[in-house]
Amino acid sequence: MVMQNILENLLSPQAREVYGLIGKGKSLTAKEIGKVLKIFPNAVYRETKKLESLGLITKTGNYPVRFSLKNSSEALGFLNTLIRQSFSNSQLTTENSLKLGFIENRKELLALTNKDTKTVKESLNIIVSGHEVPADTILTQKQAVDRGVRVRMLIQDLSASSRESIRAWQKIGIEIRYLKYLQARIFVFDRKIVYFTSYSEIKNHEAIGMRFEYEPYARLMSELFEQKWLESKAV
């Protein structure tokens, strides 16, 4: 239930779209957000209420209310407290203290995951689109496999454009299976570090989300991956 609440309240696809639009640099009204995203104002208010409760955005004015991003230090501090409370039954130590970081786009996601892939020791579990990635990403994944790391990947797109990427991953030793559209990109490194970002079939080059370095959460996400792996299909 804890994991379900975090995914629903922190990372719902529509909330991420609203957050991403507000994050483009200026305050917006619900009407302006709704017009761009093609959703009704009441849906905008529902998602902004979630984002505001998480400390990610703030509102100003009365009629109309305008929404804008909180600065990143305020947001990170709030989320730190939120997730610590969510895992109140876990004993926090120096070894498993929570570290959070925001990810604003796919390019940043690739750069950060490449860095963590270079140091992963045992397992790397990935849920991604299946679209082509840069050569340096393929290389770091191959090097991980060569070190004895078990790398498994669930992909959400079996279109013709993904077939070449699938063959390239399989060739370097990555285990590949197909997963029905999950609306998220997830990376779990050694059951210690988790990336959770947006994924849209339409806006597939966007990736708004977070990096969690926190073992209790990483273990929960590992369990989610194992569940999805069992539900997936061979390619």
Side-chain angles (χ1 to χ4, degrees):
M1 181 63 70
V2 169
M3 180 177 65
Q4 180 180 341
N5 289 340
I6 289 174
L7 301 186
E8 178 182 350
N9 295 326
L10 179 60
L11 297 163
S12 70
Q14 194 167 74
R16 285 195 299 271
E17 286 192 337
V18 173
Y19 178 71
L21 182 60
I22 296 172
K24 291 187 182 298
K26 64 178 183 178
S27 62
L28 296 168
T29 66
K31 183 177 180 180
E32 290 169 336
I33 295 169
K35 183 177 180 180
V36 173
L37 299 181
K38 295 181 174 54
I39 58 177
F40 291 112
N42 64 327
V44 175
Y45 283 117
R46 182 176 62 248
E47 301 304 349
T48 53
K49 184 176 180 180
K50 291 180 182 179
L51 293 169
E52 188 180 7
S53 72
L54 290 168
L56 294 171
I57 65 171
T58 186
K59 61 183 180 182
T60 56
N62 293 313
Y63 301 102
V65 172
R66 304 191 74 86
F67 300 97
S68 58
L69 291 189
K70 277 193 173 181
N71 68 61
S72 54
S73 62
E74 284 184 300
L76 281 171
F78 189 94
L79 287 168
N80 192 316
T81 301
L82 174 71
I83 297 176
R84 283 176 184 274
Q85 290 173 347
S86 296
F87 290 105
S88 59
N89 293 329
S90 300
Q91 184 178 1
L92 289 173
T93 66
T94 302
E95 289 75 23
N96 68 4
S97 59
L98 174 63
K99 296 179 183 177
L100 294 174
F102 283 116
I103 297 165
E104 297 182 355
N105 52 59
R106 186 172 181 261
K107 182 179 179 180
E108 185 177 358
L109 172 66
L110 288 168
L112 290 171
T113 53
N114 284 353
K115 185 177 179 179
D116 282 324
T117 302
K118 290 177 181 178
T119 60
V120 67
K121 296 179 179 178
E122 297 179 1
S123 64
L124 171 53
N125 297 324
I126 308 170
I127 301 177
V128 288
S129 63
H131 294 155
E132 184 179 358
V133 296
D136 59 335
T137 297
I138 294 286
L139 177 60
T140 56
Q141 291 170 345
K142 180 182 184 301
Q143 290 170 338
V145 172
D146 291 344
R147 293 196 307 272
V149 176
R150 186 184 185 190
V151 182
R152 291 182 291 172
M153 184 182 296
L154 290 169
I155 64 170
Q156 304 173 69
D157 187 348
L158 285 178
S159 65
S161 62
S162 298
R163 292 293 180 179
E164 187 173 344
S165 296
I166 292 170
R167 286 193 293 269
W169 281 313
Q170 290 175 326
K171 187 176 180 179
I172 64 174
I174 296 177
E175 300 173 49
I176 307 285
R177 293 182 67 86
Y178 167 70
L179 176 70
K180 187 177 179 181
Y181 187 42
L182 190 63
Q183 297 183 316
R185 290 182 174 94
I186 301 173
F187 294 73
V188 186
F189 294 84
D190 285 335
R191 297 170 62 90
K192 294 179 180 179
I193 297 172
V194 172
Y195 289 76
F196 199 110
T197 79
S198 62
Y199 168 59
S200 166
E201 288 180 309
I202 299 173
K203 302 176 182 179
N204 52 66
H205 289 291
E206 294 186 2
I208 300 169
M210 300 190 73
R211 177 187 185 273
F212 299 80
E213 190 169 344
Y214 186 54
E215 287 192 44
Y217 185 49
R219 287 196 295 269
L220 284 172
M221 295 306 292
S222 293
E223 292 173 9
L224 171 66
F225 182 89
E226 296 298 341
Q227 176 188 337
K228 297 301 179 183
W229 186 260
L230 292 174
E231 295 172 3
S232 63
K233 298 179 181 179
V235 296

